[in-house]
Amino acid sequence: MIRELCKDKEVLSKKCQRATAEDADLAQDLIDTVKSIDDAACLAANQIGVTKAVVVYLDDKGEAHVLYNPRIMMGLRASRVAEGCLTLDEPTKSTRYDKVKVAYDELVDGKLVPRKRDYTGWVAQMVQHMVDHCNGKLV
Ligand SMILES: [Zn+2]
């Protein structure tokens, strides 16, 4: 279901709670919502008003990937970048790594399974932006 974006800074600055397998519907809403917005490639649950650590991004083929409880474990090659955000009017400057190792959970047959994955380039940047959202950071 396509949901309305939440720009409420109070909601967006709350640290998100750990997501569970019960949040599968929320993940689907995130996919539907991000696909409904032109030029949007990633979305965190608190951006639709739910403070759970679930995020989604679209790869360069437009395919959706859901990460539950993502954490950055390690980063390489930091640089300062300006980023825009769907739920913040002004762009912000952040330090982003070109390569990151991310731990997250993936929903498999109704259960969350821990995974680790390396991301590089713009996907790495999106994932770091999403993790900031999960931590209640306004970016
Ligand atoms: Zn954002």
Side-chain angles (χ1 to χ4, degrees):
M1 189 173 65
I2 297 171
R3 306 265 289 256
E4 211 170 303
L5 290 181
C6 166
K7 296 191 176 185
D8 186 336
K9 290 207 166 73
E10 208 175 298
V11 174
L12 290 169
S13 54
K14 255 188 216 135
K15 189 173 160 61
C16 293
Q17 293 169 330
R18 215 179 150 70
T20 67
E22 317 280 289
D23 293 310
D25 289 346
L26 171 62
Q28 187 58 50
D29 285 355
L30 284 170
I31 293 170
D32 296 343
T33 306
V34 76
K35 285 187 170 174
S36 76
I37 304 168
D38 281 345
D39 299 326
C42 59
L43 197 65
N46 55 357
Q47 295 183 281
I48 57 169
V50 184
T51 51
K52 287 285 187 81
V54 187
V55 309
V56 62
Y57 72 89
L58 304 177
D59 64 22
D60 50 11
K61 295 185 194 81
E63 207 172 301
H65 300 263
V66 177
L67 310 182
Y68 291 78
N69 306 309
R71 293 182 286 127
I72 308 293
M73 305 181 68
M74 195 188 74
L76 286 176
R77 295 188 296 274
S79 60
R80 291 290 283 176
V81 295
E83 285 179 345
C85 177
L86 290 171
T87 50
L88 203 63
D89 297 331
E90 297 287 314
T92 51
K93 280 215 155 183
S94 302
T95 299
R96 296 292 182 221
Y97 300 108
D98 179 54
K99 181 175 180 185
V100 286
K101 188 177 281 294
V102 178
Y104 62 98
D105 297 322
E106 184 182 359
L107 191 64
V108 182
D109 296 332
K111 285 196 187 106
L112 289 184
V113 179
R115 302 267 193 231
K116 276 183 197 136
R117 197 171 154 182
D118 292 337
Y119 294 94
T120 53
W122 72 281
V123 178
Q125 189 179 345
M126 281 197 293
V127 172
Q128 290 165 86
H129 184 100
M130 293 294 101
V131 169
D132 279 352
H133 275 298
C134 291
N135 289 326
K137 207 173 152 201
L138 291 171
V139 280

PDB file of all heavy atoms in Angstrom, residues 12 42-44 47 83-88 129-130 133 137-139, ligand 1:
ATOM      1  N   LEU A  12      10.927  11.576  12.925  1.00  0.00           N
ATOM      2  CA  LEU A  12      12.155  11.246  12.191  1.00  0.00           C
ATOM      3  C   LEU A  12      13.400  11.246  13.070  1.00  0.00           C
ATOM      4  O   LEU A  12      14.407  10.642  12.711  1.00  0.00           O
ATOM      5  CB  LEU A  12      12.354  12.228  11.034  1.00  0.00           C
ATOM      6  CG  LEU A  12      11.363  12.102   9.883  1.00  0.00           C
ATOM      7  CD1 LEU A  12      11.496  13.274   8.935  1.00  0.00           C
ATOM      8  CD2 LEU A  12      11.552  10.796   9.131  1.00  0.00           C
ATOM      9  N   CYS A  42      15.329   5.129  -2.315  1.00  0.00           N
ATOM     10  CA  CYS A  42      15.382   4.457  -1.023  1.00  0.00           C
ATOM     11  C   CYS A  42      14.431   5.128  -0.037  1.00  0.00           C
ATOM     12  O   CYS A  42      14.069   6.301  -0.197  1.00  0.00           O
ATOM     13  CB  CYS A  42      16.805   4.424  -0.474  1.00  0.00           C
ATOM     14  SG  CYS A  42      17.565   6.020  -0.224  1.00  0.00           S
ATOM     15  N   LEU A  43      14.025   4.339   0.960  1.00  0.00           N
ATOM     16  CA  LEU A  43      13.053   4.829   1.929  1.00  0.00           C
ATOM     17  C   LEU A  43      13.196   4.033   3.226  1.00  0.00           C
ATOM     18  O   LEU A  43      13.378   2.814   3.202  1.00  0.00           O
ATOM     19  CB  LEU A  43      11.642   4.639   1.355  1.00  0.00           C
ATOM     20  CG  LEU A  43      10.492   5.416   1.993  1.00  0.00           C
ATOM     21  CD1 LEU A  43      10.667   6.930   1.802  1.00  0.00           C
ATOM     22  CD2 LEU A  43       9.162   4.984   1.374  1.00  0.00           C
ATOM     23  N   ALA A  44      13.118   4.751   4.346  1.00  0.00           N
ATOM     24  CA  ALA A  44      13.146   4.098   5.652  1.00  0.00           C
ATOM     25  C   ALA A  44      11.745   4.171   6.256  1.00  0.00           C
ATOM     26  O   ALA A  44      10.968   5.078   5.939  1.00  0.00           O
ATOM     27  CB  ALA A  44      14.156   4.793   6.575  1.00  0.00           C
ATOM     28  N   GLN A  47      10.168   7.268   7.596  1.00  0.00           N
ATOM     29  CA  GLN A  47       9.749   8.273   6.612  1.00  0.00           C
ATOM     30  C   GLN A  47       8.289   8.095   6.192  1.00  0.00           C
ATOM     31  O   GLN A  47       7.734   8.952   5.507  1.00  0.00           O
ATOM     32  CB  GLN A  47      10.660   8.226   5.388  1.00  0.00           C
ATOM     33  CG  GLN A  47      12.104   8.627   5.717  1.00  0.00           C
ATOM     34  CD  GLN A  47      12.953   8.646   4.480  1.00  0.00           C
ATOM     35  OE1 GLN A  47      13.385   7.607   4.008  1.00  0.00           O
ATOM     36  NE2 GLN A  47      13.196   9.820   3.936  1.00  0.00           N
ATOM     37  N   GLU A  83      23.774  15.550   0.509  1.00  0.00           N
ATOM     38  CA  GLU A  83      22.702  14.627   0.139  1.00  0.00           C
ATOM     39  C   GLU A  83      21.346  15.284   0.261  1.00  0.00           C
ATOM     40  O   GLU A  83      21.094  16.026   1.201  1.00  0.00           O
ATOM     41  CB  GLU A  83      22.698  13.435   1.109  1.00  0.00           C
ATOM     42  CG  GLU A  83      23.795  12.467   0.854  1.00  0.00           C
ATOM     43  CD  GLU A  83      23.763  11.310   1.844  1.00  0.00           C
ATOM     44  OE1 GLU A  83      23.080  11.396   2.875  1.00  0.00           O
ATOM     45  OE2 GLU A  83      24.442  10.325   1.567  1.00  0.00           O
ATOM     46  N   GLY A  84      20.490  14.941  -0.662  1.00  0.00           N
ATOM     47  CA  GLY A  84      19.098  15.342  -0.551  1.00  0.00           C
ATOM     48  C   GLY A  84      18.322  14.237   0.122  1.00  0.00           C
ATOM     49  O   GLY A  84      18.777  13.100   0.191  1.00  0.00           O
ATOM     50  N   CYS A  85      17.158  14.564   0.646  1.00  0.00           N
ATOM     51  CA  CYS A  85      16.337  13.577   1.336  1.00  0.00           C
ATOM     52  C   CYS A  85      14.878  13.862   1.016  1.00  0.00           C
ATOM     53  O   CYS A  85      14.475  15.011   0.904  1.00  0.00           O
ATOM     54  CB  CYS A  85      16.597  13.688   2.836  1.00  0.00           C
ATOM     55  SG  CYS A  85      15.585  12.577   3.809  1.00  0.00           S
ATOM     56  N   LEU A  86      14.088  12.792   0.892  1.00  0.00           N
ATOM     57  CA  LEU A  86      12.672  12.943   0.565  1.00  0.00           C
ATOM     58  C   LEU A  86      11.896  13.661   1.655  1.00  0.00           C
ATOM     59  O   LEU A  86      10.884  14.306   1.389  1.00  0.00           O
ATOM     60  CB  LEU A  86      12.029  11.559   0.379  1.00  0.00           C
ATOM     61  CG  LEU A  86      12.418  10.757  -0.853  1.00  0.00           C
ATOM     62  CD1 LEU A  86      11.843   9.361  -0.726  1.00  0.00           C
ATOM     63  CD2 LEU A  86      11.937  11.429  -2.105  1.00  0.00           C
ATOM     64  N   THR A  87      12.365  13.540   2.899  1.00  0.00           N
ATOM     65  CA  THR A  87      11.569  14.064   3.997  1.00  0.00           C
ATOM     66  C   THR A  87      12.264  15.215   4.719  1.00  0.00           C
ATOM     67  O   THR A  87      11.957  15.515   5.864  1.00  0.00           O
ATOM     68  CB  THR A  87      11.219  12.937   4.999  1.00  0.00           C
ATOM     69  OG1 THR A  87      12.400  12.222   5.343  1.00  0.00           O
ATOM     70  CG2 THR A  87      10.224  11.984   4.400  1.00  0.00           C
ATOM     71  N   LEU A  88      13.238  15.832   4.030  1.00  0.00           N
ATOM     72  CA  LEU A  88      13.904  16.992   4.598  1.00  0.00           C
ATOM     73  C   LEU A  88      14.063  17.990   3.457  1.00  0.00           C
ATOM     74  O   LEU A  88      14.495  17.624   2.368  1.00  0.00           O
ATOM     75  CB  LEU A  88      15.270  16.559   5.136  1.00  0.00           C
ATOM     76  CG  LEU A  88      15.913  17.414   6.222  1.00  0.00           C
ATOM     77  CD1 LEU A  88      15.077  17.420   7.489  1.00  0.00           C
ATOM     78  CD2 LEU A  88      17.303  16.862   6.545  1.00  0.00           C
ATOM     79  N   HIS A 129      22.720   6.333   4.342  1.00  0.00           N
ATOM     80  CA  HIS A 129      21.673   7.328   4.583  1.00  0.00           C
ATOM     81  C   HIS A 129      20.482   6.681   5.309  1.00  0.00           C
ATOM     82  O   HIS A 129      19.945   7.223   6.269  1.00  0.00           O
ATOM     83  CB  HIS A 129      21.249   7.919   3.227  1.00  0.00           C
ATOM     84  CG  HIS A 129      20.242   9.028   3.307  1.00  0.00           C
ATOM     85  ND1 HIS A 129      20.591  10.358   3.209  1.00  0.00           N
ATOM     86  CD2 HIS A 129      18.900   9.023   3.475  1.00  0.00           C
ATOM     87  CE1 HIS A 129      19.507  11.108   3.330  1.00  0.00           C
ATOM     88  NE2 HIS A 129      18.456  10.326   3.478  1.00  0.00           N
ATOM     89  N   MET A 130      20.120   5.461   4.869  1.00  0.00           N
ATOM     90  CA  MET A 130      18.994   4.749   5.480  1.00  0.00           C
ATOM     91  C   MET A 130      19.299   4.359   6.926  1.00  0.00           C
ATOM     92  O   MET A 130      18.427   4.420   7.786  1.00  0.00           O
ATOM     93  CB  MET A 130      18.681   3.474   4.676  1.00  0.00           C
ATOM     94  CG  MET A 130      18.155   3.691   3.290  1.00  0.00           C
ATOM     95  SD  MET A 130      16.525   4.458   3.303  1.00  0.00           S
ATOM     96  CE  MET A 130      16.975   6.108   2.953  1.00  0.00           C
ATOM     97  N   HIS A 133      18.733   7.191   9.102  1.00  0.00           N
ATOM     98  CA  HIS A 133      17.302   7.336   9.407  1.00  0.00           C
ATOM     99  C   HIS A 133      16.899   6.402  10.548  1.00  0.00           C
ATOM    100  O   HIS A 133      16.183   6.799  11.467  1.00  0.00           O
ATOM    101  CB  HIS A 133      16.435   7.040   8.174  1.00  0.00           C
ATOM    102  CG  HIS A 133      16.261   8.227   7.264  1.00  0.00           C
ATOM    103  ND1 HIS A 133      15.652   9.391   7.676  1.00  0.00           N
ATOM    104  CD2 HIS A 133      16.610   8.439   5.972  1.00  0.00           C
ATOM    105  CE1 HIS A 133      15.638  10.261   6.674  1.00  0.00           C
ATOM    106  NE2 HIS A 133      16.220   9.714   5.631  1.00  0.00           N
ATOM    107  N   LYS A 137      18.651   9.982  12.948  1.00  0.00           N
ATOM    108  CA  LYS A 137      19.444  11.116  12.517  1.00  0.00           C
ATOM    109  C   LYS A 137      18.710  11.817  11.370  1.00  0.00           C
ATOM    110  O   LYS A 137      18.230  11.153  10.445  1.00  0.00           O
ATOM    111  CB  LYS A 137      20.815  10.617  12.049  1.00  0.00           C
ATOM    112  CG  LYS A 137      21.903  11.639  12.196  1.00  0.00           C
ATOM    113  CD  LYS A 137      23.256  11.032  11.883  1.00  0.00           C
ATOM    114  CE  LYS A 137      24.167  12.127  11.362  1.00  0.00           C
ATOM    115  NZ  LYS A 137      25.284  11.624  10.588  1.00  0.00           N
ATOM    116  N   LEU A 138      18.612  13.117  11.468  1.00  0.00           N
ATOM    117  CA  LEU A 138      17.965  13.859  10.387  1.00  0.00           C
ATOM    118  C   LEU A 138      18.987  14.072   9.278  1.00  0.00           C
ATOM    119  O   LEU A 138      19.958  14.799   9.451  1.00  0.00           O
ATOM    120  CB  LEU A 138      17.441  15.202  10.879  1.00  0.00           C
ATOM    121  CG  LEU A 138      16.258  15.138  11.843  1.00  0.00           C
ATOM    122  CD1 LEU A 138      15.987  16.507  12.428  1.00  0.00           C
ATOM    123  CD2 LEU A 138      15.014  14.588  11.165  1.00  0.00           C
ATOM    124  N   VAL A 139      18.788  13.429   8.144  1.00  0.00           N
ATOM    125  CA  VAL A 139      19.730  13.588   7.021  1.00  0.00           C
ATOM    126  C   VAL A 139      18.978  13.864   5.728  1.00  0.00           C
ATOM    127  O   VAL A 139      17.820  13.533   5.601  1.00  0.00           O
ATOM    128  CB  VAL A 139      20.609  12.325   6.800  1.00  0.00           C
ATOM    129  CG1 VAL A 139      21.740  12.305   7.796  1.00  0.00           C
ATOM    130  CG2 VAL A 139      19.785  11.077   6.880  1.00  0.00           C
TER     131      VAL A 139
HETATM  132 ZN    ZN B   1      16.536  10.644   3.941  1.00  0.00          ZN
END
